[in-house]
Amino acid sequence: MRASRLVSLLMLLQARQPRTADELAAELEVSPRTVYRDIEALSAAGIPVYGESGHDGGYRLVDGYRTQLTGLTRQEAEALFLAGLPAAASGLGLGPVAANAERKLLAALPAELRTHADRVRERFHLDAASWYHGPEATPQLPTVSDAVWQQRRVRIRYRRWAAPHEASRTVEPHGVVLKAGQWYLVARRSGEFRTYRVARIVEAVLLDEPFERAESFELGRYWSDYLEDFDARRHRGEAVLRLSPEGVRLLPQLAEPAIARAAASGVVEADGWTRVVVPIEQPEQAVHDLLRLGPLAEVVAPQELRDRLAEALTSMLRRYAEVSG
């Protein structure tokens, strides 16, 4: 356990320095006192690590010191080849580079670990795209990702829903996210972070204008907060539904997770149907979403949504009746 932690500590120092004892303790999920002991152990083992005091102080490695990639466990070697990076790298224009890195890493592994890594590659494959949808065309993704890597501002021309439907923005890109086969750019503009769907970026021009990243920005935390806020903003109301037993069973497959989660606390009525309260978007979108449930559900309230759904069904019935006649 401690040997693994010492290796992790060394890798953290190689990745970014200086690191304070508190920062290292948080990363390793141990106490600062344990970090002090581990630093002493690394130094005793001949690792050139030293501490600096002051506001910008912390623990550092002597300039130029790097350790070789050793100490990988079987599970760690397998995990490296479960990361799915080659597929994502292709979208970023780095497919050949990632493939070369994988080959070099594979060659550097001991024979036993190389066998396990090959086995994982043969048996597991990551496909990030959602069902029934091909990958989006994202011709501006390489330029956007270059801007992220180089910390340079980028001027984008962007299609959006609201008028005017095309707008130009100069933004400071902090990261890109691949979500269900769709790429998103997270960038700062006018001091606020915004999210742009890369497929809607018509043009991207990399500017010769560097910028300072926000020190407190963490891409993973931002994205988690963004998704939570996105659901809160788009679910502007609630609907009362009655679901048949089959509707309850199939709901996770026919509706989005927010609706399925809300329906889990429904009440079973005397006829066996379940009354649930679920979040909905605007009535126009809610009609399309609820039509997927067909005869497995009945909208009880609000009356406006019930009327709109009845109008849609009446129109469909009239159309089919005309074709039959």
Side-chain angles (χ1 to χ4, degrees):
M1 177 66 179
R2 190 187 186 198
S4 175
R5 190 176 67 242
L6 290 175
V7 172
S8 297
L9 174 59
L10 180 55
M11 294 301 174
L12 287 173
L13 290 174
Q14 286 190 176
R16 179 171 61 83
Q17 48 187 340
R19 295 282 190 104
T20 67
D22 287 341
E23 291 173 339
L24 292 168
E27 291 270 8
L28 297 171
E29 298 182 348
V30 297
S31 68
R33 185 181 297 275
T34 298
V35 171
Y36 298 144
R37 291 198 296 266
D38 288 349
I39 290 291
E40 292 179 0
L42 287 178
S43 181
I47 305 298
V49 57
Y50 65 98
E52 288 183 339
S53 60
H55 181 267
D56 296 324
Y59 289 107
R60 294 177 178 271
L61 295 168
V62 170
D63 289 345
Y65 177 82
R66 303 290 294 178
T67 187
Q68 298 299 313
L69 181 64
T70 57
L72 282 176
T73 67
R74 167 181 167 178
Q75 289 79 12
E76 290 167 342
E78 292 174 349
L80 286 172
F81 291 89
L82 280 175
L85 289 180
S90 295
L92 296 170
L94 298 173
V97 177
N100 285 338
E102 182 181 311
R103 283 194 291 269
K104 290 178 180 179
L105 175 60
L106 195 61
L109 291 174
E112 180 185 358
L113 296 185
R114 187 159 57 245
T115 299
H116 288 298
D118 275 333
R119 190 175 301 163
V120 170
R121 243 186 347 186
E122 292 169 356
R123 288 164 171 76
F124 296 94
H125 175 70
L126 174 64
D127 183 359
S130 58
W131 283 100
Y132 314 119
H133 295 281
E136 289 188 316
T138 53
Q140 306 305 325
L141 182 58
T143 301
V144 166
S145 63
D146 281 348
V148 172
W149 284 115
Q150 299 181 38
Q151 284 188 219
R152 289 164 58 184
R153 293 184 176 88
V154 61
R155 185 171 62 249
I156 61 174
R157 191 155 51 88
Y158 184 76
R159 294 194 310 271
R160 60 182 193 169
W161 296 113
H165 296 294
E166 194 171 285
S168 293
R169 301 282 187 265
T170 297
V171 299
E172 298 174 342
H174 277 58
V176 289
V177 175
L178 177 61
K179 167 72 171 177
Q182 298 172 353
W183 287 94
Y184 296 87
L185 166 67
V186 178
R188 183 172 57 187
R189 175 174 171 266
S190 301
E192 295 185 2
F193 284 97
R194 304 173 186 271
T195 303
Y196 304 87
R197 191 161 163 177
V198 176
R200 294 185 186 146
I201 297 178
V202 179
E203 180 183 35
V205 178
L206 187 61
L207 304 178
D208 191 18
E209 299 176 9
F211 67 91
E212 291 294 326
R213 286 178 61 88
E215 291 186 4
S216 61
F217 178 80
E218 294 180 12
L219 184 58
R221 184 174 63 184
Y222 168 85
W223 187 253
S224 177
D225 292 343
Y226 170 78
L227 292 181
E228 184 175 342
D229 181 63
F230 179 73
D231 273 344
R233 283 186 288 110
R234 69 189 181 92
H235 289 145
R236 301 182 179 182
E238 291 182 334
V240 180
L241 309 181
R242 294 182 75 245
L243 298 170
S244 70
E246 185 73 356
V248 172
R249 187 179 70 83
L250 294 178
L251 191 64
Q253 303 172 36
L254 298 174
E256 62 176 284
I259 292 178
R261 286 196 300 270
S265 57
V267 177
V268 180
E269 298 186 326
D271 61 356
W273 283 50
T274 302
R275 181 178 291 258
V276 301
V277 179
V278 299
I280 59 170
E281 299 188 46
Q282 296 178 352
E284 295 83 356
Q285 181 61 42
V287 168
H288 294 298
D289 293 339
L290 295 175
L291 279 174
R292 299 177 189 170
L293 301 178
L296 304 178
E298 175 194 357
V299 175
V300 178
Q303 189 62 43
E304 178 190 3
L305 179 57
R306 183 181 174 91
D307 292 343
R308 284 175 178 263
L309 199 60
E311 290 174 7
L313 292 171
T314 300
S315 176
M316 292 174 60
L317 181 61
R318 186 183 305 117
R319 186 177 302 277
Y320 281 104
E322 290 173 355
V323 172
S324 300

